[in-house]
Amino acid sequence: MNLSNPAANADHASALSSHEPMAVERIRLERKHPLAIRWMHWINFPILFTMVWSGLLIYWNDSDNAYKYPHRVYRIGIGHFTLFRFFPHWFYQKLNVPYHVTEGLGFHFFFMWIFALNGIAYVLFLWLSGEWRFLVPERHSIRDAIQVTLVDLHLRKGLPRQTKYNGGQRIAYTGVIVMGAGMLLTGLAIYKPTSAHWLTSLLGGYEMARWLHFWITMGFLGFFVIHVAQVSLAGWNNFRAMVSGRELQRVEAPSLEEERKSWR
Amino acid sequence: MNESEEESTPQNSGETVSDDLAASPEATQNDVRLADAAANEQVLSESRRYTRRAFLVAAGASIAAYGAYHYLYNDTRDLMQPPPLRNAFRFNADISRTVFDSHALAPTYPLSRARDLRVNGIYGLKDMLEPDSYRLQVVGVRDAQERSQFVPDVTAWEYRYTTTADKESAGTTPRWTQTC
């Protein structure tokens, strides 16, 4: 998921040109992210965290199991060996989680609508605008993703050719859409296990749907950590593009606008 | 995050400048360099303009989001929930009543599949209830009054009991524990 690109330092590119001494490298302004994608991206950020936070308030209460491990039903471990249990008491205390389940439910069942509508709008926009072509993994995306990861870990050199996103990004950004859909389905299965019992059964039962709901949340948090780290490494030019939509590029870098025109 | 004035500035403004100069015989390498630098500066200033405007909109949106949070979560409560959240509960319940059939039966499973059954309190009733006199009224269904089983005041229903000798144990042992 290397978000950097050759022109990330285009601001300074004019001073640093390799092959032709004294020549100035020309730059241009690329229309990278459409307005709709930028709005939906930034709306999703606080909404997702409201869902995670309110979900934690519910989890604390709903895992108040009188028989085993109250407030700590999920764990990392194999068989009888447990490495970590979600969540330690100091964690709950620090975040003021205990006894706020009514708040959690109130927020969860309000913001779920915004999360769902924003996600559906995003998928519709990708579909209708054709931008999905930048995002959906291609046949060589897995190979590219491995290569990009190795480059990121300084184990090899040479990034694969890419347009807007590299293979790793295509897999990750499509993955979070699938995860979002998974959250809506598993969430409904937990919310209405009797009325929508067909869905709950389809997902492997109530406990399984709960387990999936919890671990997809962990997946979102994992995505968030890597995403923020990669954006930090990629630099200001790349980050700013998610706000202003424009990215500075070397003139000869492949043009996204040209590619968009080729779809029509 | 504003798309107006989008097309007013060409994307590659000045791209042809260096080509023209390079083609003309009297142009020196220095002239090309200066022209390119000027063109780049134009691109950068255009970029700065977009950045300023986008971050102003972002700041406005952040303030609006903060205001929305305060609107949602202040001191007023409707049945112990902030009113917008309470309204969302009512809205959700309304959708459930529309989408799901309130007459549908919940799936049942054999008792052998039950695990860790929770005992709902250990105190039970003082006297044994006569099962025939038992009434259960489900609340929350739409137009509950129009159903034949509806009783305006469930507390007015007369429950009949049989007295047992040992009041301590009456009703305290759930029947399923005898079969498991």
Side-chain angles (χ1 to χ4, degrees), chain A residues 22 29 38 103 113 246, chain B residues 3 6 11 33 73 92:
Chain A
M22 305 299 284
L29 213 47
R38 283 177 273 149
E103 261 165 79
W113 287 109
R246 311 303 194 283
Chain B
E3 298 283 287
E6 186 89 72
Q11 286 277 309
R33 211 171 59 232
Y73 200 59
N92 293 340

Side-chain angles (χ1 to χ4, degrees), chain A residues 1 11 74 81 83 153 181 193 202 213-214 232 234 236 241:
Chain A
M1 284 209 292
D11 281 298
Y74 298 121
F81 171 73
L83 185 69
L153 297 172
L202 210 65
H213 203 70
F214 181 88
S232 308
W236 174 247

